[in-house]
Amino acid sequence: GIQVEQSPPDLILQEGANSTLRCNFSDSVNNLQWFHQNPWGQLINLFYIPSGTKQNGRLSATTVATERYSLLYISSSQTTDSGVYFCVDRGSTLGRLYFGRGTQLTVWP
Amino acid sequence: NAGVTQTPKFQVLKTGQSMTLQCAQDMNHNSMYWYRQDPGMGLRLIYYSASEGTTDKGEVPNGYNVSRLNKREFSLRLESAAPSQTSVYFCASRQPGQVIYGYTFGSGTRLTVV
């Protein structure tokens, strides 16, 4: 199956700081998504981004499919950004989502 | 609000007990999924249902059974719970062909088997 590596594994920021999360894939990227798991465990779909760049408020994501990586940018971080960020690709098998281990983000006030 | 509803949110079982996790979605999605999440890991697929009336095994199906009761509901059953099944369980749904909308996840069921 697809191997998904995320870095860094942990990130601690002061409120207002910017950050970049990275995701590398062992195989071609098909249907990449970024999820945020909040401290209550809820999984929220942030971006569907198989290629190119998208922006949503303070968050943006870029996927370079030919080089098998994706980046998630968080600007002016807020305490509500805390949680775990997962990048996920959907393989050819229906329903099979390949998750990275996630980046644990903690934003302090 | 539209979405995926899971019940219960928390459950403690004794080894050998059985239980059913319930999942319902009101988005008219055809595909539904059950995942488990263990500490420090991403989600792993247990079972999925591509459409009403069909179910298939995922990555870690042993010890589980599922029922796609109708288009809305997809339940996961533990027949004889084991401590190794202590995990957080997520149900998800998706409408094939509408990939842009991605997956919608329920809020999870935290299960502890003692």
Side-chain angles (χ1 to χ4, degrees):
Chain A
I2 301 170
Q3 303 298 314
V4 182
E5 293 184 1
Q6 288 189 243
S7 59
D10 296 280
L11 189 58
I12 300 174
L13 299 174
Q14 196 82 35
E15 203 168 25
N18 302 327
S19 61
T20 301
L21 283 59
R22 185 180 177 102
C23 188
N24 291 327
F25 292 86
S26 63
D27 205 340
S28 59
V29 178
N30 293 310
N31 294 282
L32 191 140
Q33 293 179 241
W34 283 94
F35 286 93
H36 175 218
Q37 186 171 37
N38 65 24
W40 296 270
Q42 187 179 13
L43 275 165
I44 300 165
N45 191 347
L46 296 177
F47 292 103
Y48 169 71
I49 185 162
S51 64
T53 297
K54 289 185 179 179
Q55 181 152 8
N56 184 1
R58 296 180 295 102
L59 273 61
S60 65
T62 295
T63 296
V64 183
T66 54
E67 297 185 24
R68 302 178 182 175
Y69 74 88
S70 184
L71 302 172
L72 178 69
Y73 305 94
I74 304 174
S75 64
S76 303
S77 57
Q78 300 176 357
T79 55
T80 52
D81 295 331
S82 295
V84 183
Y85 289 81
F86 290 103
C87 63
V88 183
D89 195 26
R90 181 168 64 85
S92 56
T93 302
L94 180 65
R96 177 66 62 89
L97 295 179
Y98 293 92
F99 280 74
R101 288 181 174 264
T103 292
Q104 174 76 56
L105 175 65
T106 304
V107 181
W108 293 97
Chain B
N1 290 335
V4 178
T5 303
Q6 287 183 237
T7 55
K9 294 191 184 304
F10 300 94
Q11 184 71 50
V12 179
L13 290 178
K14 294 182 178 179
T15 298
Q17 286 185 317
S18 62
M19 78 161 296
T20 300
L21 281 62
Q22 307 287 351
C23 175
Q25 52 92 9
D26 58 5
M27 296 168 288
N28 205 35
H29 286 173
N30 281 327
S31 300
M32 296 186 73
Y33 310 86
W34 276 105
Y35 290 88
R36 61 177 287 173
Q37 184 179 26
D38 299 305
M41 299 183 69
L43 277 66
R44 292 182 294 168
L45 181 65
I46 305 172
Y47 270 93
Y48 64 95
S49 171
S51 61
E52 185 180 355
T54 69
T55 60
D56 287 283
K57 295 179 180 179
E59 223 177 324
V60 287
N62 291 343
Y64 305 96
N65 285 303
V66 290
S67 295
R68 184 73 183 267
L69 304 171
N70 47 54
K71 192 171 186 179
R72 289 187 64 248
E73 298 172 289
F74 188 37
S75 62
L76 177 72
R77 183 161 178 84
L78 286 70
E79 292 291 351
S80 179
S84 61
Q85 293 178 304
T86 294
S87 189
V88 181
Y89 291 84
F90 288 93
C91 177
S93 71
R94 185 177 76 90
Q95 183 60 24
Q98 295 183 3
V99 181
I100 189 69
Y101 297 110
Y103 289 74
T104 301
F105 284 84
S107 56
T109 296
R110 189 173 296 275
L111 175 67
T112 302
V113 182
V114 298

Short mmCIF file of all heavy atoms in Angstrom, two decimals, chain A residues 32-78:
data_model
loop_
_atom_site.label_atom_id
_atom_site.label_comp_id
_atom_site.label_asym_id
_atom_site.label_seq_id
_atom_site.Cartn_x
_atom_site.Cartn_y
_atom_site.Cartn_z
N LEU A 32 -5.66 13.31 -2.77
CA LEU A 32 -5.13 13.75 -1.50
C LEU A 32 -6.09 14.68 -0.77
O LEU A 32 -6.70 15.56 -1.37
CB LEU A 32 -3.79 14.46 -1.71
CG LEU A 32 -3.03 14.72 -0.42
CD1 LEU A 32 -1.55 14.45 -0.63
CD2 LEU A 32 -3.24 16.14 0.06
N GLN A 33 -6.22 14.45 0.53
CA GLN A 33 -7.03 15.31 1.38
C GLN A 33 -6.26 15.62 2.65
O GLN A 33 -5.45 14.80 3.11
CB GLN A 33 -8.35 14.62 1.77
CG GLN A 33 -9.28 14.39 0.61
CD GLN A 33 -10.56 13.69 1.05
OE1 GLN A 33 -10.87 12.60 0.60
NE2 GLN A 33 -11.32 14.32 1.92
N TRP A 34 -6.54 16.77 3.20
CA TRP A 34 -6.04 17.13 4.52
C TRP A 34 -7.22 17.17 5.48
O TRP A 34 -8.26 17.76 5.18
CB TRP A 34 -5.37 18.51 4.50
CG TRP A 34 -3.99 18.51 3.91
CD1 TRP A 34 -3.63 18.78 2.62
CD2 TRP A 34 -2.76 18.25 4.61
NE1 TRP A 34 -2.28 18.71 2.47
CE2 TRP A 34 -1.70 18.38 3.68
CE3 TRP A 34 -2.44 17.92 5.94
CZ2 TRP A 34 -0.36 18.19 4.02
CZ3 TRP A 34 -1.11 17.74 6.29
CH2 TRP A 34 -0.10 17.87 5.33
N PHE A 35 -7.01 16.54 6.64
CA PHE A 35 -8.03 16.53 7.69
C PHE A 35 -7.45 17.17 8.95
O PHE A 35 -6.26 17.06 9.23
CB PHE A 35 -8.45 15.10 8.06
CG PHE A 35 -9.31 14.42 7.04
CD1 PHE A 35 -8.75 13.63 6.06
CD2 PHE A 35 -10.69 14.54 7.09
CE1 PHE A 35 -9.55 12.97 5.14
CE2 PHE A 35 -11.49 13.90 6.18
CZ PHE A 35 -10.92 13.11 5.20
N HIS A 36 -8.33 17.77 9.73
CA HIS A 36 -7.98 18.25 11.06
C HIS A 36 -8.81 17.46 12.07
O HIS A 36 -10.03 17.40 11.95
CB HIS A 36 -8.29 19.74 11.18
CG HIS A 36 -8.08 20.28 12.56
ND1 HIS A 36 -8.91 21.23 13.13
CD2 HIS A 36 -7.13 20.02 13.48
CE1 HIS A 36 -8.49 21.52 14.33
NE2 HIS A 36 -7.40 20.81 14.57
N GLN A 37 -8.10 16.85 13.01
CA GLN A 37 -8.80 16.18 14.10
C GLN A 37 -8.69 17.08 15.33
O GLN A 37 -7.59 17.27 15.86
CB GLN A 37 -8.23 14.80 14.39
CG GLN A 37 -9.04 14.02 15.41
CD GLN A 37 -8.62 12.58 15.53
OE1 GLN A 37 -7.44 12.26 15.44
NE2 GLN A 37 -9.58 11.68 15.72
N ASN A 38 -9.82 17.63 15.76
CA ASN A 38 -9.77 18.57 16.87
C ASN A 38 -9.59 17.83 18.19
O ASN A 38 -9.63 16.60 18.24
CB ASN A 38 -11.00 19.48 16.86
CG ASN A 38 -12.29 18.72 17.10
OD1 ASN A 38 -12.29 17.65 17.69
ND2 ASN A 38 -13.40 19.29 16.63
N PRO A 39 -9.34 18.57 19.27
CA PRO A 39 -9.08 17.91 20.56
C PRO A 39 -10.24 17.06 21.05
O PRO A 39 -10.07 16.24 21.95
CB PRO A 39 -8.80 19.09 21.49
CG PRO A 39 -8.23 20.14 20.59
CD PRO A 39 -9.00 20.00 19.30
N TRP A 40 -11.42 17.20 20.47
CA TRP A 40 -12.55 16.38 20.85
C TRP A 40 -12.66 15.13 19.97
O TRP A 40 -13.59 14.36 20.10
CB TRP A 40 -13.85 17.21 20.76
CG TRP A 40 -13.84 18.32 21.75
CD1 TRP A 40 -14.29 18.32 23.03
CD2 TRP A 40 -13.28 19.64 21.53
NE1 TRP A 40 -14.07 19.53 23.62
CE2 TRP A 40 -13.46 20.37 22.74
CE3 TRP A 40 -12.67 20.28 20.45
CZ2 TRP A 40 -13.04 21.69 22.87
CZ3 TRP A 40 -12.25 21.58 20.59
CH2 TRP A 40 -12.44 22.26 21.78
N GLY A 41 -11.69 14.97 19.07
CA GLY A 41 -11.64 13.77 18.25
C GLY A 41 -12.37 13.85 16.93
O GLY A 41 -12.31 12.91 16.13
N GLN A 42 -13.04 14.94 16.68
CA GLN A 42 -13.81 15.05 15.45
C GLN A 42 -12.89 15.29 14.26
O GLN A 42 -11.97 16.10 14.31
CB GLN A 42 -14.79 16.21 15.57
CG GLN A 42 -15.75 16.31 14.40
CD GLN A 42 -16.73 17.45 14.57
OE1 GLN A 42 -16.56 18.31 15.44
NE2 GLN A 42 -17.75 17.47 13.74
N LEU A 43 -13.13 14.56 13.17
CA LEU A 43 -12.35 14.70 11.94
C LEU A 43 -13.05 15.66 10.99
O LEU A 43 -14.21 15.46 10.65
CB LEU A 43 -12.18 13.35 11.26
CG LEU A 43 -11.04 12.48 11.75
CD1 LEU A 43 -11.21 11.07 11.25
CD2 LEU A 43 -9.70 13.03 11.30
N ILE A 44 -12.32 16.66 10.56
CA ILE A 44 -12.90 17.68 9.69
C ILE A 44 -12.09 17.73 8.40
O ILE A 44 -10.87 17.82 8.41
CB ILE A 44 -12.88 19.05 10.38
CG1 ILE A 44 -13.70 18.98 11.67
CG2 ILE A 44 -13.43 20.13 9.45
CD1 ILE A 44 -13.47 20.13 12.59
N ASN A 45 -12.80 17.66 7.30
CA ASN A 45 -12.17 17.70 6.00
C ASN A 45 -11.76 19.14 5.69
O ASN A 45 -12.60 20.02 5.60
CB ASN A 45 -13.18 17.18 4.97
CG ASN A 45 -12.57 16.92 3.63
OD1 ASN A 45 -11.45 17.34 3.35
ND2 ASN A 45 -13.32 16.26 2.79
N LEU A 46 -10.46 19.38 5.50
CA LEU A 46 -9.98 20.73 5.23
C LEU A 46 -9.90 21.01 3.74
O LEU A 46 -10.41 22.02 3.25
CB LEU A 46 -8.59 20.94 5.85
CG LEU A 46 -8.48 20.86 7.36
CD1 LEU A 46 -7.02 21.01 7.78
CD2 LEU A 46 -9.34 21.91 8.03
N PHE A 47 -9.19 20.15 3.03
CA PHE A 47 -8.98 20.35 1.60
C PHE A 47 -9.01 19.01 0.88
O PHE A 47 -8.48 18.03 1.37
CB PHE A 47 -7.60 20.98 1.32
CG PHE A 47 -7.42 22.38 1.78
CD1 PHE A 47 -6.70 22.65 2.93
CD2 PHE A 47 -7.96 23.44 1.06
CE1 PHE A 47 -6.53 23.96 3.36
CE2 PHE A 47 -7.79 24.75 1.49
CZ PHE A 47 -7.07 25.00 2.64
N TYR A 48 -9.59 19.03 -0.28
CA TYR A 48 -9.39 17.97 -1.25
C TYR A 48 -8.47 18.57 -2.30
O TYR A 48 -8.85 19.52 -3.00
CB TYR A 48 -10.71 17.51 -1.86
CG TYR A 48 -10.51 16.61 -3.05
CD1 TYR A 48 -10.02 15.32 -2.89
CD2 TYR A 48 -10.77 17.06 -4.34
CE1 TYR A 48 -9.82 14.51 -3.98
CE2 TYR A 48 -10.58 16.25 -5.43
CZ TYR A 48 -10.10 14.96 -5.24
OH TYR A 48 -9.89 14.15 -6.32
N ILE A 49 -7.23 18.06 -2.41
CA ILE A 49 -6.26 18.75 -3.25
C ILE A 49 -5.31 17.76 -3.91
O ILE A 49 -4.15 17.61 -3.50
CB ILE A 49 -5.49 19.84 -2.44
CG1 ILE A 49 -4.58 20.62 -3.34
CG2 ILE A 49 -4.82 19.24 -1.21
CD1 ILE A 49 -4.11 21.94 -2.77
N PRO A 50 -5.76 17.08 -4.97
CA PRO A 50 -4.89 16.13 -5.67
C PRO A 50 -3.73 16.80 -6.39
O PRO A 50 -2.71 16.15 -6.67
CB PRO A 50 -5.83 15.44 -6.65
CG PRO A 50 -6.95 16.39 -6.84
CD PRO A 50 -7.09 17.12 -5.54
N SER A 51 -3.88 18.08 -6.69
CA SER A 51 -2.79 18.84 -7.31
C SER A 51 -3.10 20.32 -7.17
O SER A 51 -4.24 20.71 -6.89
CB SER A 51 -2.63 18.46 -8.78
OG SER A 51 -3.80 18.83 -9.49
N GLY A 52 -2.06 21.14 -7.36
CA GLY A 52 -2.26 22.57 -7.34
C GLY A 52 -2.33 23.16 -5.95
O GLY A 52 -1.87 22.56 -4.99
N THR A 53 -2.90 24.34 -5.85
CA THR A 53 -2.96 25.10 -4.62
C THR A 53 -4.38 25.57 -4.36
O THR A 53 -5.08 25.97 -5.29
CB THR A 53 -2.02 26.33 -4.69
OG1 THR A 53 -0.69 25.88 -4.84
CG2 THR A 53 -2.13 27.16 -3.42
N LYS A 54 -4.77 25.47 -3.09
CA LYS A 54 -6.08 25.99 -2.68
C LYS A 54 -5.90 26.78 -1.40
O LYS A 54 -5.00 26.52 -0.61
CB LYS A 54 -7.08 24.85 -2.42
CG LYS A 54 -7.56 24.14 -3.66
CD LYS A 54 -8.63 23.13 -3.31
CE LYS A 54 -9.14 22.44 -4.56
NZ LYS A 54 -10.17 21.43 -4.24
N GLN A 55 -6.80 27.74 -1.21
CA GLN A 55 -6.76 28.54 0.00
C GLN A 55 -8.15 28.63 0.60
O GLN A 55 -9.14 28.72 -0.11
CB GLN A 55 -6.22 29.94 -0.29
CG GLN A 55 -6.14 30.83 0.95
CD GLN A 55 -5.07 31.88 0.86
OE1 GLN A 55 -4.46 32.07 -0.19
NE2 GLN A 55 -4.81 32.56 1.95
N ASN A 56 -8.19 28.59 1.94
CA ASN A 56 -9.44 28.77 2.66
C ASN A 56 -9.13 29.54 3.93
O ASN A 56 -8.69 28.98 4.93
CB ASN A 56 -10.07 27.41 2.98
CG ASN A 56 -11.43 27.57 3.63
OD1 ASN A 56 -11.92 28.68 3.82
ND2 ASN A 56 -12.05 26.46 3.98
N GLY A 57 -9.33 30.84 3.86
CA GLY A 57 -9.04 31.67 5.03
C GLY A 57 -7.56 31.67 5.34
O GLY A 57 -6.73 31.97 4.49
N ARG A 58 -7.23 31.30 6.58
CA ARG A 58 -5.82 31.30 7.00
C ARG A 58 -5.08 30.04 6.58
O ARG A 58 -3.88 29.94 6.78
CB ARG A 58 -5.76 31.42 8.52
CG ARG A 58 -6.31 32.73 9.08
CD ARG A 58 -6.20 32.78 10.60
NE ARG A 58 -7.03 31.76 11.24
CZ ARG A 58 -6.55 30.61 11.73
NH1 ARG A 58 -5.25 30.35 11.69
NH2 ARG A 58 -7.36 29.75 12.30
N LEU A 59 -5.79 29.10 6.03
CA LEU A 59 -5.18 27.84 5.62
C LEU A 59 -5.04 27.78 4.11
O LEU A 59 -5.91 28.27 3.39
CB LEU A 59 -6.03 26.65 6.08
CG LEU A 59 -5.80 26.09 7.49
CD1 LEU A 59 -6.08 27.14 8.55
CD2 LEU A 59 -6.65 24.87 7.71
N SER A 60 -3.94 27.22 3.68
CA SER A 60 -3.78 26.93 2.25
C SER A 60 -3.01 25.63 2.12
O SER A 60 -2.32 25.20 3.05
CB SER A 60 -3.06 28.07 1.53
OG SER A 60 -1.73 28.20 2.00
N ALA A 61 -3.16 25.00 0.97
CA ALA A 61 -2.50 23.73 0.73
C ALA A 61 -1.99 23.69 -0.70
O ALA A 61 -2.63 24.25 -1.61
CB ALA A 61 -3.45 22.56 0.99
N THR A 62 -0.86 23.02 -0.87
CA THR A 62 -0.27 22.84 -2.19
C THR A 62 0.14 21.39 -2.34
O THR A 62 0.77 20.84 -1.44
CB THR A 62 0.98 23.73 -2.36
OG1 THR A 62 0.58 25.10 -2.32
CG2 THR A 62 1.67 23.44 -3.69
N THR A 63 -0.22 20.80 -3.45
CA THR A 63 0.21 19.44 -3.76
C THR A 63 0.99 19.45 -5.07
O THR A 63 0.52 19.99 -6.08
CB THR A 63 -0.99 18.49 -3.89
OG1 THR A 63 -1.65 18.40 -2.63
CG2 THR A 63 -0.54 17.09 -4.32
N VAL A 64 2.19 18.87 -5.01
CA VAL A 64 3.00 18.69 -6.23
C VAL A 64 2.99 17.20 -6.51
O VAL A 64 3.81 16.44 -5.98
CB VAL A 64 4.42 19.22 -6.04
CG1 VAL A 64 5.22 19.08 -7.33
CG2 VAL A 64 4.39 20.69 -5.60
N ALA A 65 2.04 16.78 -7.31
CA ALA A 65 1.80 15.35 -7.51
C ALA A 65 3.01 14.67 -8.15
O ALA A 65 3.33 13.53 -7.80
CB ALA A 65 0.55 15.15 -8.37
N THR A 66 3.69 15.37 -9.06
CA THR A 66 4.82 14.76 -9.76
C THR A 66 5.97 14.46 -8.80
O THR A 66 6.77 13.56 -9.05
CB THR A 66 5.32 15.67 -10.88
OG1 THR A 66 5.59 16.96 -10.33
CG2 THR A 66 4.28 15.78 -11.99
N GLU A 67 6.06 15.21 -7.71
CA GLU A 67 7.11 14.99 -6.73
C GLU A 67 6.58 14.32 -5.46
O GLU A 67 7.30 14.17 -4.48
CB GLU A 67 7.80 16.32 -6.40
CG GLU A 67 8.49 16.91 -7.63
CD GLU A 67 9.28 18.16 -7.30
OE1 GLU A 67 9.68 18.32 -6.12
OE2 GLU A 67 9.50 18.97 -8.21
N ARG A 68 5.32 13.95 -5.47
CA ARG A 68 4.71 13.14 -4.42
C ARG A 68 4.76 13.80 -3.04
O ARG A 68 5.10 13.15 -2.04
CB ARG A 68 5.35 11.75 -4.35
CG ARG A 68 5.27 10.97 -5.64
CD ARG A 68 5.96 9.65 -5.53
NE ARG A 68 5.93 8.92 -6.78
CZ ARG A 68 6.54 7.78 -6.99
NH1 ARG A 68 7.24 7.22 -6.01
NH2 ARG A 68 6.47 7.17 -8.15
N TYR A 69 4.43 15.07 -2.98
CA TYR A 69 4.33 15.68 -1.67
C TYR A 69 3.24 16.73 -1.65
O TYR A 69 2.78 17.20 -2.70
CB TYR A 69 5.67 16.29 -1.22
CG TYR A 69 6.06 17.58 -1.91
CD1 TYR A 69 5.65 18.81 -1.42
CD2 TYR A 69 6.86 17.56 -3.05
CE1 TYR A 69 6.02 19.98 -2.05
CE2 TYR A 69 7.22 18.73 -3.68
CZ TYR A 69 6.81 19.94 -3.17
OH TYR A 69 7.17 21.11 -3.81
N SER A 70 2.84 17.05 -0.43
CA SER A 70 1.83 18.09 -0.23
C SER A 70 2.22 18.90 1.00
O SER A 70 2.83 18.36 1.93
CB SER A 70 0.44 17.48 -0.05
OG SER A 70 -0.54 18.49 0.05
N LEU A 71 1.86 20.16 0.98
CA LEU A 71 2.16 21.08 2.08
C LEU A 71 0.87 21.73 2.56
O LEU A 71 0.01 22.10 1.75
CB LEU A 71 3.15 22.15 1.63
CG LEU A 71 4.49 21.70 1.09
CD1 LEU A 71 5.27 22.88 0.52
CD2 LEU A 71 5.30 20.99 2.16
N LEU A 72 0.76 21.88 3.86
CA LEU A 72 -0.36 22.62 4.45
C LEU A 72 0.23 23.81 5.21
O LEU A 72 1.09 23.64 6.07
CB LEU A 72 -1.16 21.74 5.41
CG LEU A 72 -2.33 22.41 6.13
CD1 LEU A 72 -3.44 22.74 5.14
CD2 LEU A 72 -2.86 21.53 7.26
N TYR A 73 -0.23 25.01 4.84
CA TYR A 73 0.24 26.23 5.47
C TYR A 73 -0.83 26.75 6.42
O TYR A 73 -2.00 26.85 6.03
CB TYR A 73 0.53 27.32 4.44
CG TYR A 73 1.49 26.95 3.34
CD1 TYR A 73 1.00 26.47 2.13
CD2 TYR A 73 2.86 27.08 3.50
CE1 TYR A 73 1.87 26.13 1.11
CE2 TYR A 73 3.72 26.73 2.48
CZ TYR A 73 3.22 26.27 1.29
OH TYR A 73 4.08 25.92 0.28
N ILE A 74 -0.41 27.09 7.62
CA ILE A 74 -1.32 27.71 8.57
C ILE A 74 -0.72 29.07 8.92
O ILE A 74 0.40 29.14 9.45
CB ILE A 74 -1.51 26.87 9.85
CG1 ILE A 74 -1.99 25.46 9.48
CG2 ILE A 74 -2.49 27.54 10.80
CD1 ILE A 74 -2.05 24.51 10.66
N SER A 75 -1.44 30.12 8.63
CA SER A 75 -0.93 31.45 8.95
C SER A 75 -1.68 32.02 10.14
O SER A 75 -2.84 31.67 10.40
CB SER A 75 -1.08 32.38 7.75
OG SER A 75 -2.45 32.56 7.44
N SER A 76 -1.00 32.87 10.87
CA SER A 76 -1.59 33.54 12.05
C SER A 76 -2.36 32.54 12.91
O SER A 76 -3.56 32.68 13.16
CB SER A 76 -2.53 34.66 11.60
OG SER A 76 -1.85 35.59 10.78
N SER A 77 -1.66 31.52 13.36
CA SER A 77 -2.31 30.41 14.05
C SER A 77 -3.08 30.89 15.29
O SER A 77 -2.73 31.87 15.94
CB SER A 77 -1.27 29.36 14.45
OG SER A 77 -0.26 29.92 15.24
N GLN A 78 -4.16 30.15 15.57
CA GLN A 78 -5.01 30.43 16.72
C GLN A 78 -5.12 29.17 17.58
O GLN A 78 -4.84 28.07 17.11
CB GLN A 78 -6.41 30.85 16.24
CG GLN A 78 -6.40 32.09 15.37
CD GLN A 78 -7.76 32.45 14.83
OE1 GLN A 78 -8.74 31.73 15.05
NE2 GLN A 78 -7.85 33.56 14.11
#
